């Protein structure tokens, strides 16, 4: 291969490079892995031994000249088209936070949901969900809450406006509706948690909001007892808040569990005081509920729980007012 010709041809072409596309074509033709310079290098093997040294020296010279000419041409093209002047390294990690860009963080309530579901997944639960817009069958009836029960009072719930005579629809007031949706479609063994939003026209204060999140848990199998329920809740609390967390169960009532309880954790306030805070309700699934979804209560038993996610997030981060989560003050939200 005649290196003088190669060099002269390259220099002539370099003088005519004006666009990025031409640059790239040149690079491939001369400098590419299967380009002319590589070919000229391979040619070295065919050269008579006494000429090898001279050919090698000249080849290096030619390479350097073409390389330098190419760099110069690239700079000249880049100077004319600014978008080429910065070489973009797509493997470089992104800059997380700069003066101009602040991509934000996951909301502390969503972080808490992720961490809760991770923990329950490790305890063998799978994750389920259900609709926020519910009918009365799933939100009440199948949960053993009969038609004239005070919990169904229109003043206690967000019902949708519907044409006269149409079946009522509501924003679900509890994630317990998901229990029914799961049991309608699956047979035991069942072991799920279902996080989601719920809505109640409660008076807003430091621990109550009109929209909040619950995490429902449901286990149905043979031989499930109250011991399994308590163990599960205590294990969760220790896994989540630390092994020294104090929990307590108080007898309570829910139409869909019997017996029922509420569970509290000792909440330490920033001023140093401590008070019990109710995290959720729980109990053994009422046999009527199992019968309603055609699971034989003579064979299967189960437990369920529903905890307030905001309460968990408050306990965890020492936040003493639930409203802080929904004021969208970035100075508050950036802390998480
Ligand atoms: C229930 O909603 C039951 N469905 C829980 C349950 C599930 C019991 C399965 C048995 C078996 P309750 O209304 O107590 O229960 O609400 C559960 C939790 O949600 C409360 O303990 C509290 O942590 C939280 N919570 C209730 N109301 C509000 C509110 N307005 N704002 C924020 N959190 C609330």
């Amino acid at each position: 291969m005649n290196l003088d010709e190669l060099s002269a041809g390259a220099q002539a072409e370099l003088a005519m490079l004006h666009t990025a596309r031409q640059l790239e074509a040149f690079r491939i033709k001369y400098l590419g892995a299967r380009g002319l310079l590589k070919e000229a290098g391979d040619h070295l093997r065919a050269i008579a031994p006494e000429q090898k040294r001279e050919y090698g020296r000249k080849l290096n010279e030619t390479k350097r000249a073409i390389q330098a000419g190419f760099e110069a041409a690239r700079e000249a093209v880049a100077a004319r088209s600014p978008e080429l002047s910065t070489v973009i390294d797509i493997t470089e990690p992104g800059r997380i936070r700069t003066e101009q860009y602040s991509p934000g963080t996951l909301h502390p309530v969503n972080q808490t949901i992720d961490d809760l579901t991770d923990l329950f997944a490790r305890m063998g639960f799978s994750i389920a969900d259900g609709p926020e817009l519910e009918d009365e069958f799933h939100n009440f009836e199948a949960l053993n809450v009969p038609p004239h029960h005070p919990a169904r009072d229109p003043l206690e719930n967000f019902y949708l406006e519907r044409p006269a005579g149409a079946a009522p629809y509501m924003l679900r007031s509890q994630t317990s509706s998901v229990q029914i949706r799961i049991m309608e479609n699956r047979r035991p063994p069942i072991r799920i948690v279902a996080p989601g939003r719920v809505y109640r026209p409660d008076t807003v204060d430091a621990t109550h909001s009109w929209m909040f999140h619950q995490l429902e848990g449901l286990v149905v199998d043979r031989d499930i007892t109250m011991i399994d329920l308590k163990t599960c809740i205590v294990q969760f609390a220790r896994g989540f808040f630390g092994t020294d967390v104090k929990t307590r169960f108080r007898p309570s009532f829910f139409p869909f569990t019997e017996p029922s309880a509420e569970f509290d954790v000792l909440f330490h306030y920033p001023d140093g005081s401590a008070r019990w805070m109710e995290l959720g309700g729980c109990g053994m699934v009422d046999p009527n509920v199992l019968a309603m979804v055609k699971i034989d209560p003579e064979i299967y038993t189960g437990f369920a729980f529903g905890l307030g996610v905001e309460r968990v997030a408050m306990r965890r981060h020492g936040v003493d007012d639930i409203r802080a989560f929904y004021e969208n003050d970035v100075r508050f939200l950036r802390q998480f």
Side-chain angles (χ1 to χ4, degrees):
M1 175 171 285
N2 188 328
L3 293 176
D4 290 331
E5 269 172 31
L6 180 67
S7 188
Q11 294 306 332
E13 282 186 44
L14 278 170
M16 296 190 301
L17 295 182
H18 299 298
T19 68
R21 187 178 292 212
Q22 291 167 342
L23 275 172
E24 183 60 5
F26 179 92
R27 190 190 65 75
I28 292 168
K29 178 173 175 187
Y30 287 93
L31 303 165
R34 272 178 271 159
L36 290 173
L37 282 167
K38 169 78 170 55
E39 209 178 292
D42 293 344
H43 187 62
L44 196 62
R45 264 180 274 135
I47 300 267
E50 64 278 10
Q51 288 167 5
K52 266 203 165 84
R53 200 184 156 86
E54 174 57 16
Y55 184 86
R57 189 192 57 75
K58 202 156 181 184
L59 178 64
N60 280 337
E61 206 173 85
T62 311
K63 250 188 208 169
R64 264 199 301 273
I66 294 179
Q67 189 79 48
F70 176 70
E71 291 304 332
R74 180 151 73 177
E75 272 168 35
V77 171
R80 266 177 279 129
S81 43
E83 69 272 20
L84 283 178
S85 62
T86 44
V87 177
I88 297 169
D89 177 0
I90 57 163
T91 64
E92 191 181 328
R95 262 172 261 158
I96 300 296
R97 214 180 271 288
T98 65
E99 289 280 306
Q100 281 162 298
Y101 304 109
S102 179
T105 52
L106 211 56
H107 192 281
V109 169
N110 287 336
Q111 282 181 34
T112 303
I113 289 175
D114 286 353
D115 295 344
L116 285 170
T117 48
D118 275 359
L119 177 58
F120 279 108
R122 273 184 274 138
M123 289 166 72
F125 287 78
S126 49
I127 319 292
D129 69 359
E132 288 177 30
L133 193 59
E134 263 301 4
D135 52 42
E136 290 194 300
F137 177 75
H138 292 91
N139 199 82
F140 292 131
E141 247 154 75
L143 289 164
N144 217 17
V145 186
H148 298 289
H149 193 281
R152 292 173 68 156
D153 191 325
L155 293 174
E156 303 287 332
N157 296 284
F158 288 112
Y159 280 95
L160 265 67
E161 271 185 35
R162 300 275 286 156
Y169 268 103
M170 59 186 300
L171 294 173
R172 69 179 174 196
S173 63
Q174 49 182 353
T175 45
S176 298
S177 54
V178 185
Q179 285 186 37
I180 303 302
R181 292 200 171 267
I182 293 295
M183 289 192 288
E184 279 173 334
N185 293 312
R186 290 196 213 166
R187 299 293 92 185
I190 292 171
R191 200 173 169 84
I192 57 104
V193 286
R197 292 176 180 214
V198 299
Y199 303 82
R200 293 179 194 177
D202 284 352
T203 305
V204 173
D205 63 20
T207 53
H208 292 84
S209 167
W210 56 267
M211 183 285 293
F212 59 100
H213 297 73
Q214 288 187 336
L215 182 115
E216 194 78 11
L218 175 70
V219 173
V220 184
D221 204 348
R222 290 170 195 263
D223 305 322
I224 298 289
T225 70
M226 191 85 183
I227 296 174
D228 299 302
L229 167 59
K230 282 192 80 170
T231 307
C232 176
I233 300 285
V234 171
Q235 290 290 14
F236 146 71
R238 292 168 143 235
F240 203 78
F241 297 117
T243 45
D244 56 349
V245 69
K246 291 208 167 39
T247 50
R248 74 175 183 193
F249 288 78
R250 287 175 290 108
S252 185
F253 174 81
F254 296 100
F256 37 91
T257 49
E258 179 58 34
S260 305
E262 277 170 325
F263 53 98
D264 308 335
V265 292
L266 198 60
F267 184 75
H268 297 276
Y269 286 85
D271 67 5
S273 65
R275 254 185 288 150
W276 290 99
M277 183 188 267
E278 176 193 315
L279 277 194
C282 61
M284 301 306 293
V285 180
D286 193 298
N288 284 344
V289 174
L290 293 176
M292 203 85 76
V293 289
K294 303 197 168 50
I295 291 177
D296 189 347
E298 297 294 329
I299 303 176
Y300 295 105
T301 50
F303 69 78
F305 58 86
L307 53 92
V309 174
E310 280 78 356
R311 304 278 177 92
V312 174
M314 289 167 78
R315 164 70 177 84
R316 192 178 183 207
H317 296 298
V319 172
D320 60 3
D321 195 320
I322 194 170
R323 286 166 287 202
F325 289 130
Y326 297 111
E327 282 165 354
N328 291 334
D329 183 335
V330 288
R331 290 168 301 179
F332 172 78
L333 295 173
R334 283 249 171 88
Q335 297 175 75
F336 302 98

